[in-house]
Amino acid sequence: MTDYPPRDDRLRHLIAQEINPHVASWKLAFFIADGIVTSREVRGELKRIAEAHAAGEHCGDRNCEHCWNATLTGKEPTS
C-alpha cells in the first residue's frame, strides 16, 4: 500500500497530478492546485454535489459521470 497521495492533502495532490502534464513544472501544478483547493467557491460546489449524491439525487452538473450513468440506466444516482 502506498502513502501517496497523502490522506491529509489528497485533493491537492490529485488535482496537481491532473494539471502537471499541461504546465512547465510540478511546482506550478501544485501552485494552481492549491488555489483550486483553497477556493471557497470550489469547496462549496464540491459540498453541494456530495450532498446531492448522498441524498440519492442528481447534482445538476452536466459533466457529472455519476448522474449521466444514472440517467442512462433509469436509476437514481446512489453514492
PDB file of all heavy atoms in Angstrom, residues 37-72:
ATOM      1  N   VAL A  37      -7.994  24.206  -4.503  1.00  0.00           N
ATOM      2  CA  VAL A  37      -8.399  23.545  -3.259  1.00  0.00           C
ATOM      3  C   VAL A  37      -8.804  24.546  -2.179  1.00  0.00           C
ATOM      4  O   VAL A  37      -9.703  24.281  -1.392  1.00  0.00           O
ATOM      5  CB  VAL A  37      -7.273  22.614  -2.755  1.00  0.00           C
ATOM      6  CG1 VAL A  37      -7.530  22.113  -1.356  1.00  0.00           C
ATOM      7  CG2 VAL A  37      -7.117  21.447  -3.706  1.00  0.00           C
ATOM      8  N   THR A  38      -8.155  25.696  -2.151  1.00  0.00           N
ATOM      9  CA  THR A  38      -8.468  26.667  -1.103  1.00  0.00           C
ATOM     10  C   THR A  38      -9.582  27.640  -1.494  1.00  0.00           C
ATOM     11  O   THR A  38      -9.975  28.477  -0.687  1.00  0.00           O
ATOM     12  CB  THR A  38      -7.208  27.462  -0.699  1.00  0.00           C
ATOM     13  OG1 THR A  38      -6.675  28.123  -1.845  1.00  0.00           O
ATOM     14  CG2 THR A  38      -6.161  26.552  -0.092  1.00  0.00           C
ATOM     15  N   SER A  39     -10.113  27.495  -2.697  1.00  0.00           N
ATOM     16  CA  SER A  39     -11.195  28.367  -3.156  1.00  0.00           C
ATOM     17  C   SER A  39     -12.505  28.037  -2.431  1.00  0.00           C
ATOM     18  O   SER A  39     -12.956  26.894  -2.434  1.00  0.00           O
ATOM     19  CB  SER A  39     -11.394  28.190  -4.669  1.00  0.00           C
ATOM     20  OG  SER A  39     -12.620  28.737  -5.084  1.00  0.00           O
ATOM     21  N   ARG A  40     -13.116  29.028  -1.838  1.00  0.00           N
ATOM     22  CA  ARG A  40     -14.407  28.832  -1.164  1.00  0.00           C
ATOM     23  C   ARG A  40     -15.486  28.370  -2.126  1.00  0.00           C
ATOM     24  O   ARG A  40     -16.311  27.530  -1.800  1.00  0.00           O
ATOM     25  CB  ARG A  40     -14.857  30.143  -0.522  1.00  0.00           C
ATOM     26  CG  ARG A  40     -14.736  30.126   0.952  1.00  0.00           C
ATOM     27  CD  ARG A  40     -15.332  31.358   1.544  1.00  0.00           C
ATOM     28  NE  ARG A  40     -14.243  31.955   2.292  1.00  0.00           N
ATOM     29  CZ  ARG A  40     -14.277  33.117   2.858  1.00  0.00           C
ATOM     30  NH1 ARG A  40     -15.334  33.859   2.753  1.00  0.00           N
ATOM     31  NH2 ARG A  40     -13.256  33.553   3.529  1.00  0.00           N
ATOM     32  N   GLU A  41     -15.454  28.925  -3.332  1.00  0.00           N
ATOM     33  CA  GLU A  41     -16.455  28.570  -4.338  1.00  0.00           C
ATOM     34  C   GLU A  41     -16.323  27.104  -4.761  1.00  0.00           C
ATOM     35  O   GLU A  41     -17.317  26.394  -4.886  1.00  0.00           O
ATOM     36  CB  GLU A  41     -16.351  29.483  -5.564  1.00  0.00           C
ATOM     37  CG  GLU A  41     -16.741  30.919  -5.299  1.00  0.00           C
ATOM     38  CD  GLU A  41     -15.621  31.745  -4.663  1.00  0.00           C
ATOM     39  OE1 GLU A  41     -14.460  31.263  -4.602  1.00  0.00           O
ATOM     40  OE2 GLU A  41     -15.907  32.865  -4.214  1.00  0.00           O
ATOM     41  N   VAL A  42     -15.086  26.664  -4.969  1.00  0.00           N
ATOM     42  CA  VAL A  42     -14.860  25.270  -5.357  1.00  0.00           C
ATOM     43  C   VAL A  42     -15.268  24.338  -4.220  1.00  0.00           C
ATOM     44  O   VAL A  42     -15.966  23.341  -4.435  1.00  0.00           O
ATOM     45  CB  VAL A  42     -13.389  25.036  -5.765  1.00  0.00           C
ATOM     46  CG1 VAL A  42     -13.102  23.555  -5.957  1.00  0.00           C
ATOM     47  CG2 VAL A  42     -13.055  25.809  -7.028  1.00  0.00           C
ATOM     48  N   ARG A  43     -14.862  24.644  -3.008  1.00  0.00           N
ATOM     49  CA  ARG A  43     -15.234  23.819  -1.851  1.00  0.00           C
ATOM     50  C   ARG A  43     -16.756  23.750  -1.692  1.00  0.00           C
ATOM     51  O   ARG A  43     -17.318  22.695  -1.411  1.00  0.00           O
ATOM     52  CB  ARG A  43     -14.615  24.368  -0.566  1.00  0.00           C
ATOM     53  CG  ARG A  43     -13.147  24.118  -0.439  1.00  0.00           C
ATOM     54  CD  ARG A  43     -12.917  22.665  -0.173  1.00  0.00           C
ATOM     55  NE  ARG A  43     -11.537  22.460   0.234  1.00  0.00           N
ATOM     56  CZ  ARG A  43     -11.078  21.335   0.674  1.00  0.00           C
ATOM     57  NH1 ARG A  43     -11.862  20.303   0.805  1.00  0.00           N
ATOM     58  NH2 ARG A  43      -9.821  21.200   0.985  1.00  0.00           N
ATOM     59  N   GLY A  44     -17.412  24.889  -1.870  1.00  0.00           N
ATOM     60  CA  GLY A  44     -18.870  24.917  -1.763  1.00  0.00           C
ATOM     61  C   GLY A  44     -19.538  24.059  -2.824  1.00  0.00           C
ATOM     62  O   GLY A  44     -20.514  23.349  -2.548  1.00  0.00           O
ATOM     63  N   GLU A  45     -19.016  24.093  -4.031  1.00  0.00           N
ATOM     64  CA  GLU A  45     -19.587  23.286  -5.105  1.00  0.00           C
ATOM     65  C   GLU A  45     -19.345  21.798  -4.866  1.00  0.00           C
ATOM     66  O   GLU A  45     -20.240  20.980  -5.084  1.00  0.00           O
ATOM     67  CB  GLU A  45     -19.000  23.710  -6.458  1.00  0.00           C
ATOM     68  CG  GLU A  45     -19.616  23.023  -7.645  1.00  0.00           C
ATOM     69  CD  GLU A  45     -21.104  23.248  -7.837  1.00  0.00           C
ATOM     70  OE1 GLU A  45     -21.714  24.094  -7.124  1.00  0.00           O
ATOM     71  OE2 GLU A  45     -21.694  22.565  -8.686  1.00  0.00           O
ATOM     72  N   LEU A  46     -18.161  21.440  -4.406  1.00  0.00           N
ATOM     73  CA  LEU A  46     -17.892  20.039  -4.079  1.00  0.00           C
ATOM     74  C   LEU A  46     -18.840  19.542  -2.985  1.00  0.00           C
ATOM     75  O   LEU A  46     -19.355  18.425  -3.060  1.00  0.00           O
ATOM     76  CB  LEU A  46     -16.439  19.860  -3.629  1.00  0.00           C
ATOM     77  CG  LEU A  46     -15.382  19.982  -4.717  1.00  0.00           C
ATOM     78  CD1 LEU A  46     -13.983  19.987  -4.093  1.00  0.00           C
ATOM     79  CD2 LEU A  46     -15.512  18.864  -5.730  1.00  0.00           C
ATOM     80  N   LYS A  47     -19.093  20.387  -2.004  1.00  0.00           N
ATOM     81  CA  LYS A  47     -20.001  20.022  -0.911  1.00  0.00           C
ATOM     82  C   LYS A  47     -21.424  19.857  -1.431  1.00  0.00           C
ATOM     83  O   LYS A  47     -22.115  18.896  -1.076  1.00  0.00           O
ATOM     84  CB  LYS A  47     -19.953  21.085   0.181  1.00  0.00           C
ATOM     85  CG  LYS A  47     -20.823  20.759   1.368  1.00  0.00           C
ATOM     86  CD  LYS A  47     -20.726  21.818   2.440  1.00  0.00           C
ATOM     87  CE  LYS A  47     -21.654  21.452   3.590  1.00  0.00           C
ATOM     88  NZ  LYS A  47     -21.702  22.483   4.603  1.00  0.00           N
ATOM     89  N   ARG A  48     -21.864  20.775  -2.290  1.00  0.00           N
ATOM     90  CA  ARG A  48     -23.220  20.702  -2.842  1.00  0.00           C
ATOM     91  C   ARG A  48     -23.410  19.410  -3.638  1.00  0.00           C
ATOM     92  O   ARG A  48     -24.413  18.711  -3.473  1.00  0.00           O
ATOM     93  CB  ARG A  48     -23.484  21.911  -3.746  1.00  0.00           C
ATOM     94  CG  ARG A  48     -24.907  21.958  -4.288  1.00  0.00           C
ATOM     95  CD  ARG A  48     -25.049  22.953  -5.423  1.00  0.00           C
ATOM     96  NE  ARG A  48     -24.329  22.571  -6.616  1.00  0.00           N
ATOM     97  CZ  ARG A  48     -24.710  21.616  -7.479  1.00  0.00           C
ATOM     98  NH1 ARG A  48     -25.800  20.912  -7.255  1.00  0.00           N
ATOM     99  NH2 ARG A  48     -23.999  21.350  -8.554  1.00  0.00           N
ATOM    100  N   ILE A  49     -22.438  19.069  -4.469  1.00  0.00           N
ATOM    101  CA  ILE A  49     -22.514  17.852  -5.272  1.00  0.00           C
ATOM    102  C   ILE A  49     -22.524  16.621  -4.371  1.00  0.00           C
ATOM    103  O   ILE A  49     -23.332  15.707  -4.554  1.00  0.00           O
ATOM    104  CB  ILE A  49     -21.358  17.803  -6.288  1.00  0.00           C
ATOM    105  CG1 ILE A  49     -21.567  18.870  -7.369  1.00  0.00           C
ATOM    106  CG2 ILE A  49     -21.232  16.420  -6.911  1.00  0.00           C
ATOM    107  CD1 ILE A  49     -20.374  19.094  -8.269  1.00  0.00           C
ATOM    108  N   ALA A  50     -21.648  16.593  -3.381  1.00  0.00           N
ATOM    109  CA  ALA A  50     -21.577  15.449  -2.468  1.00  0.00           C
ATOM    110  C   ALA A  50     -22.889  15.268  -1.703  1.00  0.00           C
ATOM    111  O   ALA A  50     -23.364  14.146  -1.534  1.00  0.00           O
ATOM    112  CB  ALA A  50     -20.418  15.618  -1.499  1.00  0.00           C
ATOM    113  N   GLU A  51     -23.480  16.363  -1.266  1.00  0.00           N
ATOM    114  CA  GLU A  51     -24.743  16.282  -0.526  1.00  0.00           C
ATOM    115  C   GLU A  51     -25.868  15.767  -1.417  1.00  0.00           C
ATOM    116  O   GLU A  51     -26.703  14.970  -0.971  1.00  0.00           O
ATOM    117  CB  GLU A  51     -25.095  17.638   0.076  1.00  0.00           C
ATOM    118  CG  GLU A  51     -24.219  18.003   1.256  1.00  0.00           C
ATOM    119  CD  GLU A  51     -24.442  19.419   1.773  1.00  0.00           C
ATOM    120  OE1 GLU A  51     -25.136  20.225   1.100  1.00  0.00           O
ATOM    121  OE2 GLU A  51     -23.891  19.730   2.839  1.00  0.00           O
ATOM    122  N   ALA A  52     -25.912  16.211  -2.668  1.00  0.00           N
ATOM    123  CA  ALA A  52     -26.935  15.727  -3.592  1.00  0.00           C
ATOM    124  C   ALA A  52     -26.769  14.224  -3.824  1.00  0.00           C
ATOM    125  O   ALA A  52     -27.741  13.465  -3.756  1.00  0.00           O
ATOM    126  CB  ALA A  52     -26.871  16.485  -4.918  1.00  0.00           C
ATOM    127  N   HIS A  53     -25.551  13.788  -4.070  1.00  0.00           N
ATOM    128  CA  HIS A  53     -25.310  12.363  -4.292  1.00  0.00           C
ATOM    129  C   HIS A  53     -25.622  11.553  -3.044  1.00  0.00           C
ATOM    130  O   HIS A  53     -26.197  10.462  -3.144  1.00  0.00           O
ATOM    131  CB  HIS A  53     -23.866  12.127  -4.724  1.00  0.00           C
ATOM    132  CG  HIS A  53     -23.581  12.600  -6.112  1.00  0.00           C
ATOM    133  ND1 HIS A  53     -22.309  12.643  -6.619  1.00  0.00           N
ATOM    134  CD2 HIS A  53     -24.393  13.060  -7.096  1.00  0.00           C
ATOM    135  CE1 HIS A  53     -22.353  13.098  -7.863  1.00  0.00           C
ATOM    136  NE2 HIS A  53     -23.600  13.371  -8.165  1.00  0.00           N
ATOM    137  N   ALA A  54     -25.265  12.062  -1.878  1.00  0.00           N
ATOM    138  CA  ALA A  54     -25.542  11.348  -0.627  1.00  0.00           C
ATOM    139  C   ALA A  54     -27.044  11.188  -0.401  1.00  0.00           C
ATOM    140  O   ALA A  54     -27.491  10.200   0.176  1.00  0.00           O
ATOM    141  CB  ALA A  54     -24.908  12.069   0.551  1.00  0.00           C
ATOM    142  N   ALA A  55     -27.819  12.152  -0.895  1.00  0.00           N
ATOM    143  CA  ALA A  55     -29.279  12.091  -0.763  1.00  0.00           C
ATOM    144  C   ALA A  55     -29.921  11.274  -1.885  1.00  0.00           C
ATOM    145  O   ALA A  55     -31.139  11.153  -1.948  1.00  0.00           O
ATOM    146  CB  ALA A  55     -29.848  13.511  -0.745  1.00  0.00           C
ATOM    147  N   GLY A  56     -29.090  10.741  -2.809  1.00  0.00           N
ATOM    148  CA  GLY A  56     -29.620   9.949  -3.918  1.00  0.00           C
ATOM    149  C   GLY A  56     -30.256  10.792  -5.003  1.00  0.00           C
ATOM    150  O   GLY A  56     -31.086  10.303  -5.756  1.00  0.00           O
ATOM    151  N   GLU A  57     -29.858  12.053  -5.094  1.00  0.00           N
ATOM    152  CA  GLU A  57     -30.427  12.966  -6.089  1.00  0.00           C
ATOM    153  C   GLU A  57     -29.384  13.324  -7.136  1.00  0.00           C
ATOM    154  O   GLU A  57     -28.188  13.198  -6.914  1.00  0.00           O
ATOM    155  CB  GLU A  57     -30.892  14.249  -5.393  1.00  0.00           C
ATOM    156  CG  GLU A  57     -31.943  14.017  -4.339  1.00  0.00           C
ATOM    157  CD  GLU A  57     -32.213  15.261  -3.510  1.00  0.00           C
ATOM    158  OE1 GLU A  57     -31.537  16.286  -3.719  1.00  0.00           O
ATOM    159  OE2 GLU A  57     -33.085  15.189  -2.645  1.00  0.00           O
ATOM    160  N   HIS A  58     -29.880  13.784  -8.284  1.00  0.00           N
ATOM    161  CA  HIS A  58     -28.976  14.287  -9.310  1.00  0.00           C
ATOM    162  C   HIS A  58     -28.381  15.607  -8.825  1.00  0.00           C
ATOM    163  O   HIS A  58     -29.081  16.438  -8.249  1.00  0.00           O
ATOM    164  CB  HIS A  58     -29.720  14.513 -10.628  1.00  0.00           C
ATOM    165  CG  HIS A  58     -30.123  13.247 -11.289  1.00  0.00           C
ATOM    166  ND1 HIS A  58     -29.276  12.538 -12.086  1.00  0.00           N
ATOM    167  CD2 HIS A  58     -31.284  12.556 -11.246  1.00  0.00           C
ATOM    168  CE1 HIS A  58     -29.898  11.461 -12.526  1.00  0.00           C
ATOM    169  NE2 HIS A  58     -31.121  11.446 -12.024  1.00  0.00           N
ATOM    170  N   CYS A  59     -27.102  15.806  -9.087  1.00  0.00           N
ATOM    171  CA  CYS A  59     -26.440  17.023  -8.614  1.00  0.00           C
ATOM    172  C   CYS A  59     -26.680  18.211  -9.542  1.00  0.00           C
ATOM    173  O   CYS A  59     -26.482  19.349  -9.159  1.00  0.00           O
ATOM    174  CB  CYS A  59     -24.942  16.778  -8.441  1.00  0.00           C
ATOM    175  SG  CYS A  59     -24.048  16.486  -9.982  1.00  0.00           S
ATOM    176  N   GLY A  60     -27.096  17.945 -10.780  1.00  0.00           N
ATOM    177  CA  GLY A  60     -27.369  19.030 -11.712  1.00  0.00           C
ATOM    178  C   GLY A  60     -26.156  19.467 -12.516  1.00  0.00           C
ATOM    179  O   GLY A  60     -26.257  20.342 -13.359  1.00  0.00           O
ATOM    180  N   ASP A  61     -25.016  18.851 -12.288  1.00  0.00           N
ATOM    181  CA  ASP A  61     -23.803  19.176 -13.041  1.00  0.00           C
ATOM    182  C   ASP A  61     -23.826  18.376 -14.336  1.00  0.00           C
ATOM    183  O   ASP A  61     -23.823  17.154 -14.318  1.00  0.00           O
ATOM    184  CB  ASP A  61     -22.559  18.821 -12.214  1.00  0.00           C
ATOM    185  CG  ASP A  61     -21.262  19.243 -12.885  1.00  0.00           C
ATOM    186  OD1 ASP A  61     -21.233  19.334 -14.138  1.00  0.00           O
ATOM    187  OD2 ASP A  61     -20.279  19.470 -12.175  1.00  0.00           O
ATOM    188  N   ARG A  62     -23.853  19.046 -15.464  1.00  0.00           N
ATOM    189  CA  ARG A  62     -23.973  18.341 -16.740  1.00  0.00           C
ATOM    190  C   ARG A  62     -22.746  17.502 -17.088  1.00  0.00           C
ATOM    191  O   ARG A  62     -22.797  16.678 -17.989  1.00  0.00           O
ATOM    192  CB  ARG A  62     -24.264  19.324 -17.868  1.00  0.00           C
ATOM    193  CG  ARG A  62     -23.143  20.280 -18.135  1.00  0.00           C
ATOM    194  CD  ARG A  62     -23.489  21.195 -19.266  1.00  0.00           C
ATOM    195  NE  ARG A  62     -22.571  22.325 -19.272  1.00  0.00           N
ATOM    196  CZ  ARG A  62     -22.780  23.428 -19.915  1.00  0.00           C
ATOM    197  NH1 ARG A  62     -23.877  23.576 -20.614  1.00  0.00           N
ATOM    198  NH2 ARG A  62     -21.903  24.393 -19.878  1.00  0.00           N
ATOM    199  N   ASN A  63     -21.641  17.697 -16.376  1.00  0.00           N
ATOM    200  CA  ASN A  63     -20.434  16.906 -16.605  1.00  0.00           C
ATOM    201  C   ASN A  63     -20.264  15.779 -15.590  1.00  0.00           C
ATOM    202  O   ASN A  63     -19.224  15.129 -15.566  1.00  0.00           O
ATOM    203  CB  ASN A  63     -19.200  17.815 -16.564  1.00  0.00           C
ATOM    204  CG  ASN A  63     -19.244  18.855 -17.655  1.00  0.00           C
ATOM    205  OD1 ASN A  63     -19.371  18.530 -18.825  1.00  0.00           O
ATOM    206  ND2 ASN A  63     -19.172  20.110 -17.276  1.00  0.00           N
ATOM    207  N   CYS A  64     -21.257  15.533 -14.779  1.00  0.00           N
ATOM    208  CA  CYS A  64     -21.161  14.505 -13.738  1.00  0.00           C
ATOM    209  C   CYS A  64     -21.399  13.124 -14.345  1.00  0.00           C
ATOM    210  O   CYS A  64     -22.516  12.782 -14.728  1.00  0.00           O
ATOM    211  CB  CYS A  64     -22.176  14.774 -12.633  1.00  0.00           C
ATOM    212  SG  CYS A  64     -22.132  13.534 -11.322  1.00  0.00           S
ATOM    213  N   GLU A  65     -20.343  12.338 -14.397  1.00  0.00           N
ATOM    214  CA  GLU A  65     -20.440  10.987 -14.954  1.00  0.00           C
ATOM    215  C   GLU A  65     -21.396  10.125 -14.139  1.00  0.00           C
ATOM    216  O   GLU A  65     -22.148   9.317 -14.682  1.00  0.00           O
ATOM    217  CB  GLU A  65     -19.060  10.347 -14.989  1.00  0.00           C
ATOM    218  CG  GLU A  65     -19.049   8.977 -15.615  1.00  0.00           C
ATOM    219  CD  GLU A  65     -17.667   8.372 -15.685  1.00  0.00           C
ATOM    220  OE1 GLU A  65     -16.684   9.040 -15.319  1.00  0.00           O
ATOM    221  OE2 GLU A  65     -17.566   7.206 -16.091  1.00  0.00           O
ATOM    222  N   HIS A  66     -21.392  10.318 -12.839  1.00  0.00           N
ATOM    223  CA  HIS A  66     -22.255   9.562 -11.926  1.00  0.00           C
ATOM    224  C   HIS A  66     -23.734   9.760 -12.295  1.00  0.00           C
ATOM    225  O   HIS A  66     -24.474   8.795 -12.474  1.00  0.00           O
ATOM    226  CB  HIS A  66     -21.974  10.030 -10.496  1.00  0.00           C
ATOM    227  CG  HIS A  66     -22.773   9.352  -9.450  1.00  0.00           C
ATOM    228  ND1 HIS A  66     -22.483   8.098  -8.982  1.00  0.00           N
ATOM    229  CD2 HIS A  66     -23.863   9.758  -8.766  1.00  0.00           C
ATOM    230  CE1 HIS A  66     -23.348   7.765  -8.062  1.00  0.00           C
ATOM    231  NE2 HIS A  66     -24.200   8.753  -7.910  1.00  0.00           N
ATOM    232  N   CYS A  67     -24.156  11.010 -12.434  1.00  0.00           N
ATOM    233  CA  CYS A  67     -25.552  11.301 -12.747  1.00  0.00           C
ATOM    234  C   CYS A  67     -25.882  10.926 -14.192  1.00  0.00           C
ATOM    235  O   CYS A  67     -26.995  10.483 -14.486  1.00  0.00           O
ATOM    236  CB  CYS A  67     -25.858  12.773 -12.484  1.00  0.00           C
ATOM    237  SG  CYS A  67     -25.813  13.200 -10.719  1.00  0.00           S
ATOM    238  N   TRP A  68     -24.934  11.099 -15.108  1.00  0.00           N
ATOM    239  CA  TRP A  68     -25.143  10.720 -16.502  1.00  0.00           C
ATOM    240  C   TRP A  68     -25.423   9.218 -16.595  1.00  0.00           C
ATOM    241  O   TRP A  68     -26.368   8.800 -17.271  1.00  0.00           O
ATOM    242  CB  TRP A  68     -23.923  11.096 -17.334  1.00  0.00           C
ATOM    243  CG  TRP A  68     -23.970  10.613 -18.743  1.00  0.00           C
ATOM    244  CD1 TRP A  68     -23.295   9.558 -19.275  1.00  0.00           C
ATOM    245  CD2 TRP A  68     -24.755  11.156 -19.813  1.00  0.00           C
ATOM    246  NE1 TRP A  68     -23.594   9.428 -20.603  1.00  0.00           N
ATOM    247  CE2 TRP A  68     -24.495  10.379 -20.965  1.00  0.00           C
ATOM    248  CE3 TRP A  68     -25.648  12.213 -19.907  1.00  0.00           C
ATOM    249  CZ2 TRP A  68     -25.097  10.638 -22.191  1.00  0.00           C
ATOM    250  CZ3 TRP A  68     -26.247  12.467 -21.124  1.00  0.00           C
ATOM    251  CH2 TRP A  68     -25.979  11.700 -22.253  1.00  0.00           C
ATOM    252  N   ASN A  69     -24.618   8.411 -15.922  1.00  0.00           N
ATOM    253  CA  ASN A  69     -24.831   6.964 -15.930  1.00  0.00           C
ATOM    254  C   ASN A  69     -26.176   6.599 -15.312  1.00  0.00           C
ATOM    255  O   ASN A  69     -26.848   5.694 -15.799  1.00  0.00           O
ATOM    256  CB  ASN A  69     -23.698   6.251 -15.196  1.00  0.00           C
ATOM    257  CG  ASN A  69     -22.399   6.319 -15.952  1.00  0.00           C
ATOM    258  OD1 ASN A  69     -22.369   6.505 -17.164  1.00  0.00           O
ATOM    259  ND2 ASN A  69     -21.294   6.200 -15.236  1.00  0.00           N
ATOM    260  N   ALA A  70     -26.562   7.298 -14.258  1.00  0.00           N
ATOM    261  CA  ALA A  70     -27.860   7.035 -13.629  1.00  0.00           C
ATOM    262  C   ALA A  70     -28.998   7.369 -14.585  1.00  0.00           C
ATOM    263  O   ALA A  70     -29.997   6.652 -14.649  1.00  0.00           O
ATOM    264  CB  ALA A  70     -27.991   7.841 -12.344  1.00  0.00           C
ATOM    265  N   THR A  71     -28.845   8.432 -15.366  1.00  0.00           N
ATOM    266  CA  THR A  71     -29.863   8.815 -16.344  1.00  0.00           C
ATOM    267  C   THR A  71     -29.984   7.752 -17.428  1.00  0.00           C
ATOM    268  O   THR A  71     -31.092   7.384 -17.837  1.00  0.00           O
ATOM    269  CB  THR A  71     -29.519  10.181 -16.973  1.00  0.00           C
ATOM    270  OG1 THR A  71     -29.450  11.155 -15.935  1.00  0.00           O
ATOM    271  CG2 THR A  71     -30.558  10.603 -17.987  1.00  0.00           C
ATOM    272  N   LEU A  72     -28.873   7.232 -17.894  1.00  0.00           N
ATOM    273  CA  LEU A  72     -28.890   6.213 -18.937  1.00  0.00           C
ATOM    274  C   LEU A  72     -29.512   4.911 -18.471  1.00  0.00           C
ATOM    275  O   LEU A  72     -30.175   4.220 -19.244  1.00  0.00           O
ATOM    276  CB  LEU A  72     -27.478   5.948 -19.455  1.00  0.00           C
ATOM    277  CG  LEU A  72     -26.852   7.059 -20.276  1.00  0.00           C
ATOM    278  CD1 LEU A  72     -25.432   6.674 -20.680  1.00  0.00           C
ATOM    279  CD2 LEU A  72     -27.676   7.363 -21.513  1.00  0.00           C
TER     280      LEU A  72
END
